[in-house]
């Protein structure tokens, strides 16, 4: 009965490095979302998967950001050549079907780029 | 495109007082609206959602929200605040298959 699990919970990296953030959704949930939350802001949409495919990646800020979900379950958000402005909490959520079914959020990964 | 605006980034109330957190939406179609709560260092938890079945929606922890089309509002209320209600609250609207969040309101509850 586990919820959405995100690892690591905290990540500190140097500017210019590559990072991967992992999300394990609730078992059986076909829809998976990535959001980014900066200090004092609401979550900002990044990308949405339905199954293995990215149904909407309109929120990815630039081509340094990429996400995959190869088997329709676990997803990885990848950030290349990190910048200090990438520092934020990255939230993952899943829902049973997408559409109007509620989103279940993980506790997030706090990324700090030094 | 749909959007939501939360008026007041901080709200402070005394324990036992009425809680009112404001949310106005902008939508060209009947909206699906949500309120989420975020406790420190945790993810977001769904409080309640409006999906056009009833204008007054009851959620968890004694919260409720009323959809008012004439005012394009979906304000969150609770009759009597608890210390444990202190958290960040986010209003959200569904746009295509994703949620668009407001900037949040931090609720402080004083004894």
């Amino acid at each position: 009965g586990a919820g959405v699990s995100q690892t690591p919970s905290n990540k500190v990296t140097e500017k210019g490095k590559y990072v991967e953030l992992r999300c394990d959704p609730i078992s059986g949930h076909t829809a998976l979302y990535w959001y980014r939350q900066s200090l004092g802001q609401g979550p900002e949409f990044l990308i949405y998967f339905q199954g293995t495919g990215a149904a909407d990646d309109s929120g990815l800020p630039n081509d340094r950001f990429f996400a995959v979900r190869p088997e329709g379950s676990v997803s990885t958000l990848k950030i290349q050549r990190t910048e200090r402005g990438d520092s934020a909490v990255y939230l993952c959520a899943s829902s049973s079907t997408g559409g109007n079914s509620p989103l279940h959020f993980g506790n997030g990964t706090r990324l700090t780029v030094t | 495109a749909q959007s939501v605006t939360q008026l007041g980034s901080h709200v402070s109330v005394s324990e036992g007082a009425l809680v009112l957190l404001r949310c106005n939406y902008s939508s060209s179609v009947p909206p699906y609206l949500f309120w989420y709560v975020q406790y420190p260092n945790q993810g977001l938890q769904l409080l309640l959602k409006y999906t056009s079945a009833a204008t007054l929606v009851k959620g968890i922890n004694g919260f409720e929200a009323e959809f008012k089309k004439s005012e394009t509002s979906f304000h969150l209320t609770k009759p009597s605040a608890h210390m444990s209600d202190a958290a960040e609250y986010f209003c959200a609207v569904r746009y295509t298959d994703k949620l668009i969040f407001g900037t949040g309101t931090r609720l402080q509850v004083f004894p």
Side-chain angles (χ1 to χ4, degrees), chain A residues 54-67:
Chain A
D56 184 346
D57 65 358
S58 61
L60 294 178
N62 51 60
D63 61 6
R64 296 187 297 105
F65 288 74
F66 190 71

Side-chain angles (χ1 to χ4, degrees), chain B residues 6-80:
Chain B
Q6 292 185 245
L7 297 176
S9 59
H10 288 81
V11 170
S12 297
V13 300
S14 298
E15 193 173 21
L18 171 71
V19 176
L20 171 61
L21 305 182
R22 299 178 185 274
C23 174
N24 288 87
Y25 68 89
S26 171
S27 175
S28 56
V29 297
Y32 290 100
L33 296 161
F34 304 79
W35 276 99
Y36 280 81
V37 60
Q38 186 176 34
Y39 298 101
N41 300 314
Q42 294 187 25
L44 282 75
Q45 179 182 1
L46 179 67
L47 273 178
L48 50 81
K49 64 178 180 180
Y50 168 75
T51 56
S52 78
T55 56
L56 183 62
V57 182
K58 294 187 184 300
I60 62 171
N61 302 338
F63 284 92
E64 62 183 35
E66 186 172 9
F67 173 74
K68 291 187 176 180
K69 184 177 179 180
S70 61
E71 299 177 6
T72 62
S73 69
F74 190 57
H75 301 330
L76 182 70
T77 60
K78 182 173 180 177
S80 176

Side-chain angles (χ1 to χ4, degrees), chain A residues 37-43, chain B residues 4-11 21-23 34-38 44 76 87-92 100-107:
Chain A
Q37 187 175 20
S38 300
L39 196 62
Q41 299 295 314
Chain B
V4 290
T5 302
Q6 292 185 245
L7 297 176
S9 59
H10 288 81
V11 170
L21 305 182
R22 299 178 185 274
C23 174
F34 304 79
W35 276 99
Y36 280 81
V37 60
Q38 186 176 34
L44 282 75
L76 182 70
E88 186 96 22
Y89 291 79
F90 294 95
C91 182
I100 306 300
F101 287 88
T103 52
T105 297
R106 181 165 298 279
L107 176 66

Side-chain angles (χ1 to χ4, degrees), chain A residues 3-26:
Chain A
V4 177
S5 175
Q6 291 188 247
T7 54
S9 56
N10 280 282
K11 177 70 177 177
V12 180
T13 191
E14 292 180 349
K15 179 175 177 293
K17 299 289 188 183
Y18 167 83
V19 296
E20 289 189 352
L21 311 180
R22 177 187 169 104
C23 173
D24 278 272
I26 292 173

